[in-house]
Amino acid sequence: MSAETPPSDRGQAYAAVNDAVVRTLRAPGPLWAAGMAASVLGVIAAAIAWAWQVYTGLGVAGISHPVGWGVYIVTFVFWVGIAHSGTLISAILYLFRSQWRTSVYRVAEAMTVFAVLTAGLFPLIHLGRVWYFYWLIPYPNQRLLWPNFRSPLIWDVFAVSTYLATSALFFLVGLLPDVAAARDSTTGTRHRFYKALSLGWTGTERQWHHYGAAYLFLAAFATPLVISVHSVVSWDFAMGIVPGWHSLLFPPYFVAGAIFSGCAMVLTILVPMRRMFHLERYVTTRHLERLAMLVLLTSTIVGYAYLTEVYFAWAGVSVAERQAFQWRLFGEASWGFWIMVVCNVLTPLLLWSRRIRRHPGWLFGISLVVNVGMWFERYVIVSVSLMRGYEPWAFGGYRPSWVELTILAGSFCWFFMWFLLFARTLPSMSIIEVKETLQPPVRVPGPGAPHPEGPGHRGAD
Amino acid sequence: MGGLDRRGFLKVLGTGAAAATASACTARPLLQHLFPYVYNDPRLRYGEPTDYASMCTGCGAGCGVLVRTREGRPVKVEGNPADPLSEARLCARGQAQLQDLYNPDRVPGPLERRGEVQAAIPWDAALTRLSRAALPLLAAGGARIALLTRPTTGTMDALLARFAAATGARWVAWHPADRSDLRAANRIAYGLDSLPTWRIDRARALVSFGADFLGTWLLPVAFTRMFTEMHAFRGEEPGRFAQVEPRLSLTGQNADQWIPVRPGGEAALALGVARSALEMRGTGAVPGGADLAPLLARWDDARVSRVSGTPPGTSDRLAGILARDGLALPPDTGSSSATAAALATSLLNQVIGAPGERVSPDLPTLPGTAHPYSAVVDLVGAMERGEVDVLLVHGANPAYELPGGLAFAEALARVPLVVATSPYPDETSALAHLVLPHPGPFEGWTDAEPVRGVHVLGQPLVEPLYDTRHFGDVLLALARSAGGEAAAAFPAPDFGALLRDRWTGLAAGSGLAWEAIKGRGVLGDLPPPTPAPPFDAAAVAAVDFEAAGVDPDAASPALVVHEHPYLGSGEGANLPWLQELPDPVVKAVWGSWIELHPETAASLGVAPEQVMVLRNAGGEVRAPAWIHRGVAPGVLALAAGQGHTRYGRYATGVGTRAAAVLPPVPDPVTGALARVVPALEVVPQPEREPVVRTAGSTVQREREIALAVPLAEALRDAGRTSSPMGRAGLEPSPWPEMYRNPHHPYERRWAMSVDLDRCTGCQACMVACMAENNVPFVGKEQVALGREMSWIWIERYVGGPESDDEAEADPARDGVRLLPMLCQQCDNAPCEPVCPVFAAYHNPEGLNVQVYNRCVGTRYCANNCPYKVRRFNWFEYTPAAPLPLAYNPDVTVRTMGVMEKCTFCIQRIQRGVLRARTQDRPLVDGEIVPACVQTCPAEALVFGDVVDEGSAVRRHFQDPRGYGALEDLATRPAVTYLKKVVRGGTLT
């Protein structure tokens, strides 16, 4: 694993890395400003829509009976899914010493944090009485009331909040040396901001030692969360008895889907970012190809899950389950299912081609298709299942309202708003880890020689 | 209790609350001063309900009711146990009377037309204007004064008759659902100008040739009670019932065999059945049989089949079941063929020996005055000729309900003084010169005589919300101001005194004092059938039955206009509970639709929900098409009662006015208004309009929800008991459980049984529930989104679980199954574990309780409920003032964002439990009744403690017909359904 060829000329100086990364932190260009303005406007629009919903009642959304969960829960699961590959790339691949992660993991981690931040809004937005959201949190109160620990929604509260805390911590700890570098090269407000974030980092051997231990610990801590969080989210459905929800398959199916969508989202972000900030030397086509292969792998897992679900519905004894899947595949709302199949199973088959895997434009396009497909996967599971329950008299449909669609669009704006802020304020590549993959600017030990690596042994800044 | 005393008290209390919300709607302040009692009234217990006996005025049936008042404010209407006809039960329209009382669109006080506007005037001025116009006319003999009312019974009938006689005024008493054809048939056959009394309960086989007696016909609650008495399965051979009609009605859905018939073909079929029955019994065995035989011989099976459009052999099959204590009921369409059919059913009854046993031609139903439509036509003619100077309209809305071809409005324009007494600003009031609003329900004295010998008293029990005056008082004032003979005829000071005099007379034999009469509310009992008067076979045989049938080969479809099951002829259209109550067949709300058979739709080129315009010389109707097999081919069906242009906010602009196309010419023989319209121009429109329904799928799609058992099997198993106590969670589950229910074993487990063989789908339970539990109505747009709030509803499936194609579902072939769905109070409830905040939790008595104040609105419970009985408050649904006065103070009004559902009326359970505890006694089975159980006219619902070995509900749980809906989900519901008993063999 340490035998990877560095992504640059052997003679490249560490200073060039610093320049490349710190360059991204300089004064914003018009493109950035335009993106930021659009995002903020979208967030404001969504906030107005939400305020309208809180004031008027949840009836302004399109959800009804029997489809009580619609765009909000679909989008919640979508963003939680997006959040997953961040931790996968940064923590799991770190533990497995996959070096190709170094140039992409910061972006993936930031994406994770922002995606969880976005996802976390939706359980609040969808509440009938959002002003009592804190009743879902176990806090001591004079009424001696606890939340219902049997409810998957309470598990969700724990899973998502734990995930947010851990991924944020992991992200911030990983940033320490780089933020310190930025601190040292800035003045004024930005200096104070970086100073606060860097927690007095000076780069001493002792600090490096603790830093390494903490990073390893958090990586190890975050790894099971990748599995657990989306498993818990899947239990929101699998613990219910709704035909189309009640399935043992859900946890692995959801985790694979989460990694699938997460990797696609990393590609969606990385490809334009790489182009805009001229990071081609660090984020190489080989990195992109690795991500593409992960997308391809998880796509086949997800496709297999689709087949299994249909098979069990067909072979099982539950009439309601069988008919729910007939409805899903061939009913009035089946367009959602077929969008999902085309986007998530058929389109990623293109990635079998090495040429496409290594072509950033193709990857960008495919990643967008996968994102759309994964949103529709959740729509099919959450809402289409609810349309056909056990009681035929209560069959119904669902059409999202403008409020839901505005808030859906606003959630992307919210996410990209944070991301654009991140891109301009924090190093979007790990300076130190990229440097580690370079030949040290010392006497050349010879081509292809193993590079000493380990958490306690890093080059001085 | 003294009337003055109580009313004085109510004046303070009853309107105290009203004033706060209602004052904005009133012309005068409702309350000038508020006085506290120095000494509290000892009869008043704050927080305790007080029931007053009164009478329902929702339709003409006059059911006795008990009105529950809280602190002087009526909050619930229930049937009066003293009423021998309704026996404490009430229909949907009766339950909705509260919204009539508290309707936000009521006229606040008298109005006078000044130019184009109607302005408020004081009563004195209004009455002065009336008497100034009327007195010269009265002096001249009164012939230029006309009164148009509904058919009347009781004191009002006596008053109007005496008024008309003393003053010479012209009086017409007419209802748009004109049953003059039935009176005419009784006149021809028996020489009696009245409606017979049908004793359905004494029959063992029943064939109705169209009368919707469970829904809209005459006395629906009483007939439902009689029908269940005759038809419901009780472990022994039950009665049989077939319904013959062009359009599937609420009643038709309860038939063992529903027989679609061409409109006008009912007479032919009835004659065919009579022919077959006469052959079976032998001509000699039937009085007058020899006279009838030649007439009947002409109606052989082939001809009957061709004219009526029914399959060959139908006559013989129906005659076969009627042979055993049979009874035939007439159609209800008013057309000349209906008269023939009414006569034919009289004849058929005569042949099967029903008169004197199961029908009493000489015992009148709704005794009193009812004129045929021809009397209205004569009145309109007189108005046109300028022969009417003062027209008083009471209880009727002629500008809305008369056929478009009659040009009533033009005739009305020629009347110098039109006085309307409607409490609503309806179409007729809008054209009136004076509006003198009559009190709303429970605000004034009234009474009725539903069947000869049964008297129902309606006493006022709330201070009138608005500045109204009883129409009887207006007439009395007018008569008195006339002086002379007219004044002498009316010594009583007011209508209440008149009524009291009459009632003390009625009660003379019983020894009851006036206070006791008021407390009881009902006098008399249903008399036993009397020996039948002689049947005039020769007169019946002389009737030309040949001309009556419609042409079976007619190219254009006929339109059948039926009474709206809840809005009647339009009177109930401004009651939102009734507007939002789904049609019992189509399950559509807030609107009109034209029902037609798929074949008819194909031949007309009409697609589902495509808007159709039906046009004739009188006018046009416009409504979307609803295509199903519950209509005979070649028939279009449309409900009356909608399409108001004025009336109130909930009625105006909803649906289409069916009366516009009704034929304006009365039937030459009976004078009735025909509700079958032949030869209409059908113009399909390019646009579609959704028919907003509460039904998802009307077939069960292989799920075990509404089940049935063949009669032979039910008879075989009758008397056996099964022990399905695991169903309600009384016995441990056979499966391992991670979370043991901490309340096991239950000390008390509330449970309900629902007998599907009894439920008629009348939906009275739904309105009772809305009234009891403050369930909001949400309007058409919200229902279209699936957001209706009702906690209980009647699911209507065509055929058994095997049906899975809605387009093929055929009520005539597969039968209809009706299933009341409400919260099943599962022992192992899917809604409970998923609630994150314990808003849904299991109480120690087995109820799935919903704590509204704790609910945060995740809606997971509703998603996870397999029965889909949980309802979410998408908005804040506060109705317009003063409707909130109808709120039950025992039940929380739910706020926006909260889930709600049926609780088995936990407030009633709690009240009952506490009452027993304070009286230090055990609870008695049947002591606690939820609102739906209380009102169910068919007694399909039984409630009680299933742990109690002696309870009725326990017996039903052990009935071999019992099952739980979707039982295989292991929810262990506390509602046990008893399978419908399918009477095969005889009818199919």
Side-chain angles (χ1 to χ4, degrees):
Chain A
M1 50 191 169
S2 56
E4 304 280 350
T5 314
S8 55
D9 297 336
R10 181 164 305 159
Q12 174 159 5
Y14 280 3
V17 180
N18 271 12
D19 278 355
V21 176
V22 175
R23 189 169 57 229
T24 64
L25 305 179
R26 302 238 170 88
L31 205 59
W32 184 93
M36 194 64 189
S39 298
V40 170
L41 280 178
V43 171
I44 290 171
I48 291 169
W50 187 41
W52 172 246
Q53 176 184 296
V54 171
Y55 177 75
T56 325
L58 209 53
V60 298
I63 37 181
S64 70
H65 289 281
V67 184
W69 285 356
V71 164
Y72 299 147
I73 297 294
V74 169
T75 314
F76 163 70
V77 182
F78 173 79
W79 283 115
V80 174
I82 295 294
H84 273 67
S85 58
T87 314
L88 176 94
I89 289 169
S90 57
I92 298 185
L93 296 187
Y94 176 74
L95 294 181
F96 282 102
R97 303 286 189 268
S98 283
Q99 268 201 355
W100 63 269
R101 70 178 269 284
T102 48
S103 49
V104 299
Y105 88 89
R106 178 67 47 74
V107 169
E109 260 176 27
M111 193 189 77
T112 293
V113 175
F114 302 143
V116 179
L117 272 183
T118 314
L121 296 176
F122 281 92
L124 301 182
I125 292 171
H126 104 120
L127 278 190
R129 300 203 292 173
V130 63
W131 46 96
Y132 290 130
F133 77 96
Y134 59 92
W135 286 353
L136 276 79
I137 299 163
Y139 64 98
N141 58 80
Q142 65 188 29
R143 291 164 297 177
L144 300 175
L145 277 170
W146 287 93
N148 179 5
F149 291 107
R150 287 168 72 188
S151 171
L153 297 186
I154 290 297
W155 309 346
D156 237 21
V157 170
F158 287 106
V160 173
S161 54
T162 307
Y163 194 54
L164 178 62
T166 310
S167 58
L169 211 56
F170 195 42
F171 177 59
L172 292 174
V173 166
L175 271 172
L176 278 180
D178 291 358
V179 172
R183 173 196 64 198
D184 296 344
S185 58
T186 50
T187 53
T189 314
R190 284 174 84 94
H191 177 77
R192 282 197 293 278
F193 172 69
Y194 292 128
K195 191 176 174 186
L197 267 189
S198 61
L199 303 174
W201 178 270
T202 49
T204 64
E205 185 65 19
R206 191 177 149 79
Q207 281 180 344
W208 273 114
H209 180 75
H210 288 303
Y211 170 83
Y215 198 81
L216 181 65
F217 170 76
L218 283 172
F221 189 77
T223 298
L225 289 182
V226 176
I227 309 293
S228 72
V229 175
H230 225 57
S231 297
V232 169
V233 169
S234 83
W235 288 335
D236 284 350
F237 309 103
M239 297 302 287
I241 64 169
V242 178
W245 285 12
H246 192 53
S247 169
L248 267 180
L249 176 70
F250 266 30
Y253 165 25
F254 267 57
V255 170
I259 294 167
F260 180 49
S261 64
C263 291
M265 190 55 112
V266 174
L267 279 174
T268 309
I269 290 168
L270 208 56
V271 170
M273 204 169 150
R274 167 178 183 264
R275 175 88 173 270
M276 258 181 270
F277 295 132
H278 310 294
L279 302 174
E280 287 89 348
R281 295 168 71 116
Y282 309 101
V283 183
T284 63
T285 46
R286 200 181 58 86
H287 293 147
L288 296 183
E289 190 182 3
R290 288 296 171 100
L291 274 170
M293 286 161 89
L294 203 50
V295 167
L296 183 58
L297 172 71
T298 44
S299 155
T300 57
I301 298 175
V302 165
Y304 175 74
Y306 297 162
L307 280 177
T308 315
E309 271 195 304
V310 174
Y311 171 77
F312 279 132
W314 173 74
V317 293
S318 168
V319 172
E321 185 86 16
R322 194 183 71 229
Q323 291 185 4
F325 275 86
Q326 271 172 7
W327 165 256
R328 186 182 281 191
L329 264 63
F330 308 112
E332 277 167 47
S334 62
W335 49 271
F337 179 84
W338 296 110
I339 288 177
M340 166 186 111
V341 169
V342 168
C343 294
N344 295 353
V345 182
L346 300 181
T347 310
L349 292 180
L350 292 171
L351 296 175
W352 284 107
S353 152
R354 187 180 154 84
R355 212 161 52 81
I356 290 176
R357 274 205 310 269
R358 298 179 65 88
H359 188 287
W362 271 101
L363 289 180
F364 182 67
I366 290 171
S367 74
L368 282 182
V369 168
V370 168
N371 284 326
V372 170
M374 283 308 291
W375 192 88
F376 273 97
E377 181 200 290
R378 277 64 174 252
Y379 166 75
V380 166
I381 292 170
V382 176
S383 297
V384 176
S385 298
L386 285 170
M387 294 175 191
R388 288 291 184 276
Y390 289 102
E391 190 75 15
W393 193 256
F395 285 178
Y398 171 53
R399 175 174 295 194
S401 75
W402 68 268
V403 173
E404 283 163 301
L405 296 178
T406 307
I407 291 178
L408 167 63
S411 78
F412 282 87
C413 294
W414 166 264
F415 174 80
F416 283 109
M417 180 188 82
W418 284 109
F419 209 91
L420 287 171
L421 269 178
F422 155 77
R424 276 297 171 192
T425 48
L426 296 170
S428 48
M429 278 193 311
S430 169
I431 301 172
I432 51 134
E433 291 208 28
V434 171
K435 280 180 184 168
E436 277 177 13
T437 62
L438 300 179
Q439 292 285 359
V442 293
R443 238 185 293 278
V444 181
H451 166 65
E453 198 184 22
H457 192 91
R458 286 168 193 255
D461 197 347
Chain B
M1 54 193 81
L4 244 181
D5 206 350
R6 180 175 53 76
R7 292 187 67 182
F9 146 66
L10 291 176
K11 187 173 201 161
V12 177
L13 282 170
T15 57
T21 32
S23 54
C25 312
T26 58
R28 58 162 187 167
L30 279 174
L31 192 72
Q32 285 82 16
H33 305 286
L34 195 69
F35 299 106
Y37 283 114
V38 177
Y39 299 104
N40 219 340
D41 189 317
R43 290 165 309 206
L44 174 77
R45 310 251 311 270
Y46 290 97
E48 284 293 321
T50 314
D51 290 357
Y52 292 102
S54 193
M55 190 186 92
C56 174
T57 50
C59 72
C63 294
V65 295
L66 294 182
V67 181
R68 179 152 299 174
T69 61
R70 283 292 296 271
E71 285 80 50
R73 182 161 59 83
V75 294
K76 181 79 172 46
V77 187
E78 295 187 348
N80 185 347
D83 185 343
L85 293 171
S86 67
E87 297 176 287
R89 313 295 164 145
L90 201 58
C91 70
R93 291 172 71 176
Q95 290 286 351
Q97 288 309 294
L98 280 182
Q99 287 199 328
D100 203 350
L101 171 64
Y102 296 121
N103 202 285
D105 294 316
R106 282 180 55 184
V107 180
L111 303 172
E112 184 184 40
R113 168 173 296 280
R114 288 179 198 140
E116 284 304 298
V117 295
Q118 288 178 326
I121 54 165
W123 269 102
D124 289 346
L127 292 177
T128 308
R129 167 143 190 216
L130 172 62
S131 54
R132 231 188 3 248
L135 290 183
L137 304 174
L138 287 170
R144 298 183 73 82
I145 298 181
L147 294 140
L148 179 59
T149 68
R150 284 277 192 252
T152 49
T153 62
T155 309
M156 194 50 139
D157 188 53
L159 169 65
L160 283 165
R162 216 189 302 172
F163 184 85
T167 62
R170 180 199 281 261
W171 173 34
V172 177
W174 179 74
H175 192 281
D178 189 346
R179 271 114 199 186
S180 311
D181 50 339
L182 305 185
R183 289 170 180 266
N186 217 30
R187 195 169 57 233
I188 295 167
Y190 297 99
L192 297 161
D193 192 16
S194 60
L195 296 172
T197 296
W198 293 272
R199 289 299 297 270
I200 296 169
D201 53 328
R202 298 169 70 99
R204 296 183 70 196
L206 183 66
V207 175
S208 166
F209 287 89
D212 181 15
F213 61 90
L214 300 176
T216 53
W217 194 62
L218 300 173
L219 312 170
V221 176
F223 286 145
T224 306
R225 312 257 332 130
M226 293 185 189
F227 173 70
T228 24
E229 176 75 24
M230 164 246 165
H231 189 260
F233 181 78
R234 270 181 300 247
E236 52 203 41
E237 190 70 35
R240 304 289 204 284
F241 169 46
Q243 174 92 351
V244 179
E245 59 187 354
R247 177 251 175 197
L248 184 69
S249 63
L250 191 161
T251 308
Q253 298 200 109
N254 289 283
D256 302 318
Q257 179 71 61
W258 178 68
I259 301 167
V261 67
R262 180 174 294 131
E266 298 95 338
L269 187 60
L271 291 168
V273 180
R275 186 222 0 107
S276 184
L278 190 66
E279 283 165 10
M280 285 181 199
R281 293 193 69 184
T283 314
V286 177
D291 288 335
L292 298 170
L295 161 72
L296 294 178
R298 291 204 295 276
W299 295 92
D300 60 86
D301 193 54
R303 183 170 176 219
V304 167
S305 172
R306 193 181 64 80
V307 176
S308 67
T310 54
T314 307
S315 318
D316 292 343
R317 283 211 312 277
L318 293 179
I321 66 159
L322 283 174
R324 201 186 56 152
D325 296 344
L327 174 65
L329 295 180
D332 186 29
T333 55
S335 60
S336 55
S337 63
T339 313
L343 263 175
T345 52
S346 295
L347 192 157
L348 170 59
N349 279 331
Q350 186 69 21
V351 171
I352 59 177
E357 295 289 330
R358 299 176 287 281
V359 55
S360 303
D362 54 344
L363 189 67
T365 297
L366 298 175
T369 312
H371 297 115
Y373 170 63
S374 53
V376 180
V377 176
D378 292 346
L379 172 63
V380 173
M383 287 157 59
E384 253 169 10
R385 291 189 298 275
E387 292 168 17
V388 176
D389 287 340
V390 174
L391 174 69
L392 291 130
V393 182
H394 173 63
N397 184 6
Y400 164 79
E401 61 207 13
L402 286 174
L406 193 61
F408 175 79
E410 288 80 347
L412 196 73
R414 307 187 58 127
V415 178
L417 181 66
V418 177
V419 182
T421 66
S422 172
Y424 290 92
D426 60 23
E427 288 86 348
T428 309
S429 301
L431 300 172
H433 303 100
L434 269 183
V435 178
L436 306 178
H438 185 67
F442 320 126
E443 287 183 338
W445 288 101
T446 179
D447 63 352
E449 192 176 356
V451 175
R452 170 60 45 83
V454 178
H455 300 273
V456 182
L457 175 66
Q459 64 169 324
L461 45 96
V462 60
E463 177 77 3
L465 266 75
Y466 300 112
D467 190 12
T468 56
R469 197 166 289 192
H470 200 288
F471 179 58
D473 289 342
V474 172
L475 281 186
L476 287 172
L478 189 59
R480 258 198 311 280
S481 63
E485 195 191 331
F490 299 106
D494 58 27
F495 184 78
L498 195 69
L499 182 136
R500 182 175 169 168
D501 289 347
R502 182 169 171 273
W503 274 78
T504 13
L506 287 172
S510 68
L512 287 172
W514 174 236
E515 287 304 318
I517 298 170
K518 280 199 298 179
R520 215 180 114 79
V522 180
L523 279 180
D525 204 350
L526 193 60
T530 47
F535 180 74
D536 191 347
V540 174
V543 171
D544 182 11
F545 286 101
E546 312 289 327
V550 294
D551 179 9
D553 305 315
S556 74
L559 174 71
V560 176
V561 175
H562 55 93
E563 243 194 304
H564 193 288
Y566 303 119
L567 312 184
S569 301
E571 304 91 332
N574 207 43
L575 309 186
W577 280 339
L578 297 182
Q579 282 280 11
E580 201 155 298
L581 198 57
D583 177 86
V585 178
V586 175
K587 295 290 177 184
V589 298
W590 293 97
S592 293
W593 55 92
I594 294 166
E595 290 168 55
L596 64 170
H597 192 275
E599 283 173 22
T600 322
S603 68
L604 294 172
V606 175
E609 303 189 319
Q610 185 176 354
V611 175
M612 300 168 74
V613 168
L614 312 180
R615 199 173 287 147
N616 65 10
E620 63 172 44
V621 292
R622 176 195 179 84
W626 185 254
I627 300 169
H628 72 130
R629 286 173 195 272
V631 189
V635 173
L636 307 172
L638 173 66
Q642 294 280 29
H644 281 277
T645 51
R646 284 160 189 273
Y647 199 68
R649 67 193 73 187
Y650 305 114
T652 306
V654 177
T656 192
R657 187 173 78 97
V661 294
L662 287 179
V665 183
D667 180 73
V669 181
T670 65
L673 171 66
R675 273 95 71 198
V676 177
V677 194
L680 279 155
E681 189 193 349
V682 180
V683 193
Q685 302 292 301
E687 72 270 23
R688 286 168 52 117
E689 190 188 306
V691 177
V692 172
R693 298 161 73 232
T694 57
S697 162
T698 56
V699 290
Q700 296 185 52
R701 298 170 194 266
E702 302 172 51
R703 293 109 198 266
E704 304 217 321
I705 295 168
L707 303 185
V709 58
L711 175 59
E713 195 183 319
L715 283 172
R716 193 194 64 214
D717 291 343
R720 292 188 198 172
T721 54
S722 57
S723 74
M725 288 301 133
R727 186 185 298 142
L730 296 194
E731 284 166 3
S733 155
W735 312 107
E737 287 179 291
M738 267 179 85
Y739 294 94
R740 231 180 56 79
N741 186 331
H743 307 306
H744 279 170
Y746 291 113
E747 281 175 33
R748 190 183 276 150
R749 169 83 158 119
W750 298 113
M752 192 182 282
S753 73
V754 181
D755 191 341
L756 301 188
D757 203 51
R758 282 176 171 265
C759 175
T760 66
C762 74
Q763 304 186 134
C765 49
M766 293 177 67
V767 187
C769 176
M770 291 182 196
E772 171 71 21
N773 292 301
N774 306 334
V775 177
F777 57 89
V778 296
K780 187 175 186 176
E781 291 73 25
Q782 293 297 308
V783 177
L785 291 168
R787 291 175 180 168
E788 68 275 9
M789 295 299 286
S790 190
W791 290 0
I792 178 172
W793 58 87
I794 310 294
E795 302 190 351
R796 171 191 176 270
Y797 294 113
V798 180
E802 67 288 345
S803 310
D804 61 357
D805 188 347
E806 284 195 73
E808 286 304 313
D810 185 349
R813 185 191 61 207
D814 308 326
V816 176
R817 299 196 188 168
L818 302 162
L819 177 122
M821 179 53 73
L822 67 167
C823 176
Q824 307 280 308
Q825 315 287 351
C826 308
D827 179 49
N828 182 24
C831 55
E832 284 167 5
V834 299
C835 177
V837 292
F838 280 123
Y841 87 102
H842 209 73
N843 92 350
E845 297 181 344
L847 298 178
N848 309 125
V849 186
Q850 178 74 7
V851 187
Y852 303 128
N853 283 346
R854 179 70 174 168
C855 178
V856 295
T858 69
R859 302 179 302 290
Y860 197 169
C861 53
N863 289 344
N864 213 30
C865 173
Y867 309 99
K868 293 283 174 249
V869 292
R870 290 175 157 267
R871 299 274 128 189
F872 187 71
N873 284 273
W874 299 99
F875 295 105
E876 198 84 55
Y877 297 111
T878 312
L883 280 173
L885 289 181
Y887 279 152
N888 179 358
D890 287 343
V891 179
T892 316
V893 177
R894 282 75 59 186
T895 176
M896 158 180 108
V898 165
M899 192 63 73
E900 62 181 61
K901 67 177 251 304
C902 164
T903 62
F904 277 168
C905 287
I906 194 167
Q907 68 282 4
R908 291 183 173 222
I909 294 177
Q910 206 56 25
R911 199 176 274 282
V913 168
L914 289 177
R915 188 174 50 224
R917 194 178 294 164
T918 47
Q919 294 170 2
D920 195 22
R921 60 169 174 86
L923 271 171
V924 180
D925 183 43
E927 180 180 356
I928 297 171
V929 273
C932 55
V933 178
Q934 194 283 327
T935 207
C936 180
E939 284 185 67
L941 310 174
V942 171
F943 178 79
D945 172 14
V946 74
V947 175
D948 176 4
E949 303 254 355
S951 67
V953 75
R954 172 104 174 185
R955 275 199 308 285
H956 286 188
F957 263 69
Q958 293 169 330
D959 192 306
R961 284 196 290 141
Y963 71 97
L966 301 170
E967 216 171 348
D968 56 339
L969 295 174
T971 48
R972 300 202 288 270
V975 176
T976 273
Y977 291 96
L978 303 183
K979 289 176 190 167
K980 186 182 175 74
V981 176
V982 178
R983 288 118 169 114
T986 327
L987 284 169
T988 48

